[in-house]
Amino acid sequence: MSDRPHVLVVEDNKTLRRLLEYRLGKVYDVAVAEDGQRALAAVEARAPDLIVSDIMMPVMDGFALLAALRSEPDTQAIPFIFLTAKADDLSRQKGLRKGVDDYLTKPFDVDHLITRVGQIVQRSQVYQSRLTAKIGRDFSDRLLPREMPAEPGYRTVFFSRPKEDGGGDLFDWTRAGDGSYLFTVGDIMGKGLQAKFYAFSFLSYIRSTLHAMLRETVSPARLMQRVNEMLITDAVLEETFASLLLMRWEPDTHRLTYCNAGHCRPILVTPDGPGMVEHSDLILGLDLGTTYEDRALVLPPDSALLCYTDGLNEQVTRSGGMFGEGGVALGAQQALRAEQPVHALLSWLLRRSEKPTFDDDVLVFWLQRQPLHAGDGQASAPATGWRHHSAADHRQPNGA
Amino acid sequence: MSFTFQKASPTAAVVRIGKALDFRNAAEFKAACQEHARQGIRYYTLDFSGTGILDSTGLGVIFSLYRQLTPAGGQVVFASVSRPVQVVVQLTRTYKVFRQFPTVEAALEAHSASAPAAQVPQRPSDAA
């Protein structure tokens, strides 16, 4: 099956049918039918992007065909052009009332018909892609937070730039009763609207699960276990796989407790260099018997934890390979001293990328602890960069 | 489409993945797997030699195959895993689920001996 738009020609006159098949066939995939009944069978076999149909035909005429198509949800929106010898106004009016998109009377100029077909096909394609993009954006917007937690001595930065044809990246945070925070960073496998839809359903589920479970546990591993069971047993989410990082942050003790289900490993950026937050368990949705484990680390002063999704490490470099974890870690190291660290990281990557934009969704969460003040061991604000403790940014273009 | 299926026995098939398994050919791959599953294939050796791209959609269809086969006692194993594929497998920790063999022949031998020695790559121990 080719990518060319598919046009169905319904015409009982053999000569005209052949002519249209030949002329339209230069631009479109053309199917032909001799009457309305055969046209319905052809539509069932493969729904066309547009139908050009005669009115007066044996067995089932053009009006009956149009009525049959308009009565079915799957076919009611197929653009329709009537082609007929009837120049009288009655047929024309009847056709227009029934919702045809255009009406040409014989003898007609074939070039004119081809132009009209082109315009209508293009219009419906533009409409379709805009609708898809709009729904995709709507899901993306709902998958991302409006604001970020603000804690003294910390900078929390969130950046996201979803792609219309990207996947189902998700990020969320919530505050537990004991003052700690729980962060969720994840990626639903797959691309496009379907992945975004699953991410949306999945995040709704995670939110309600966390809400219900936070009263009894703040263990990311126990929460992960529950989410995995849900993903495998839930009928709607069946065949959904997700990588997920659940992380509990206690700002008072600087302690981070995390459980990682096959997600991109966070990078710990210290003045001495970057390091991987190593431990990870199996991706979600694969195996009911998977056990998940909590690990903990203490975020040192003057350090940052970088969490992200695969749009960063899978970005293609100028030399044709992928950045990988190592490349992202190098960029993160440069960003530690920057006034706008996430911006600095993304710019660093783009300067070394094959293309001037990111190929996939970009999602970055940056948690930075401020340096200790020299001498007294107390945290204090350095000259710049710490006034804005938190920022959630969805709109920044490309970070360039 | 870059993958090809080849029956190794009435219940086993070797799938040469080719250059890429990604969002462009994942649906075709899934349909082909289902067709083979209908024909009674339960043991799949995925040959990743020369595979440059395995994206999350591609990995997703392999997972679907795994989920479908395991209740029926089937298996999916990897052979000749290229470096780009190894990176994905490490990142998602799926080496815990899919046995890896250095060659297709080794995978098939292990299957016919039916007591396969898994070759699971070792991770460096976790940082403190």
Side-chain angles (χ1 to χ4, degrees), chain A residues 128-202:
Chain A
Q128 185 58 47
S129 64
R130 279 204 189 140
L131 186 67
T132 305
K134 186 180 177 299
I135 298 170
R137 270 199 305 276
D138 195 45
F139 276 132
S140 297
D141 282 351
R142 283 160 202 266
L143 288 169
L144 304 168
R146 297 260 161 255
E147 52 185 27
M148 291 295 288
E151 286 288 334
Y154 272 94
R155 176 153 65 179
T156 57
V157 186
F158 172 71
F159 174 88
S160 158
R161 198 181 51 84
K163 280 230 154 184
E164 277 163 15
D165 56 352
D169 284 7
L170 55 92
F171 177 82
D172 196 21
W173 64 272
T174 186
R175 196 159 191 199
D178 63 356
S180 67
Y181 294 85
L182 203 77
F183 293 100
T184 308
V185 185
D187 188 358
I188 302 289
M189 299 186 86
K191 285 259 182 255
L193 211 51
Q194 194 187 13
K196 283 190 203 292
F197 169 73
Y198 280 128
F200 181 68
S201 316
F202 182 54

Side-chain angles (χ1 to χ4, degrees), chain B residues 78-99:
Chain B
F78 290 8
S80 307
V81 177
S82 65
R83 206 179 133 59
V85 172
Q86 195 65 263
V87 169
V88 176
V89 167
Q90 293 292 332
L91 204 63
T92 52
R93 297 303 191 261
T94 34
Y95 56 80
K96 294 178 181 180
V97 174
F98 301 106
R99 283 202 175 104

Side-chain angles (χ1 to χ4, degrees), chain A residues 205-357:
Chain A
Y205 183 87
I206 292 179
R207 278 186 186 139
S208 56
T209 303
L210 292 188
H211 194 76
M213 283 185 74
L214 276 177
R215 272 173 242 136
E216 47 182 282
T217 181
V218 286
S219 156
R222 283 196 54 196
L223 296 166
M224 195 72 89
Q225 197 98 31
R226 182 72 200 97
V227 172
N228 187 47
E229 287 163 13
M230 176 278 297
L231 212 49
I232 289 177
T233 52
D234 186 285
V236 175
L237 292 169
E238 200 186 356
E239 298 227 333
T240 303
F241 308 100
S243 70
L244 195 70
L245 175 71
L246 286 177
M247 188 168 71
R248 179 172 177 243
W249 172 44
E250 297 161 274
D252 296 345
T253 59
H254 314 293
R255 196 176 154 87
L256 293 162
T257 311
Y258 69 94
C259 178
N260 189 351
H263 194 73
C264 303
R265 296 182 292 177
I267 296 168
L268 179 64
V269 192
T270 72
D272 302 328
M276 293 299 155
V277 177
E278 281 277 349
H279 186 80
S280 179
D281 295 310
L282 190 64
I283 198 158
L284 292 170
L286 201 49
D287 198 344
L288 199 55
T290 311
T291 51
Y292 292 96
E293 219 181 293
D294 277 331
R295 294 292 172 110
L297 62 91
V298 171
L299 193 62
D302 197 17
S303 299
L305 189 77
L306 168 66
C307 304
Y308 58 98
T309 54
D310 58 13
L312 285 200
N313 52 310
E314 289 182 2
Q315 174 77 359
V316 176
T317 67
R318 225 181 280 154
S319 55
M322 292 191 293
F323 277 100
E325 287 180 321
V328 177
L330 276 177
Q333 192 62 34
Q334 318 295 317
L336 186 63
R337 294 277 176 263
E339 225 172 284
Q340 292 181 289
V342 173
H343 187 276
L345 165 66
L346 298 179
S347 303
W348 188 92
L349 292 170
L350 281 180
R351 279 199 300 277
R352 287 156 184 80
S353 292
E354 189 184 39
K355 293 185 203 153
T357 55

Side-chain angles (χ1 to χ4, degrees), chain A residues 153 155 302 369-373 379-387 389:
Chain A
R155 176 153 65 179
D302 197 17
R369 186 178 165 196
Q370 79 182 57
L372 292 177
H373 186 55
S380 74
T384 56
W386 294 96
R387 281 188 206 103
H389 287 297

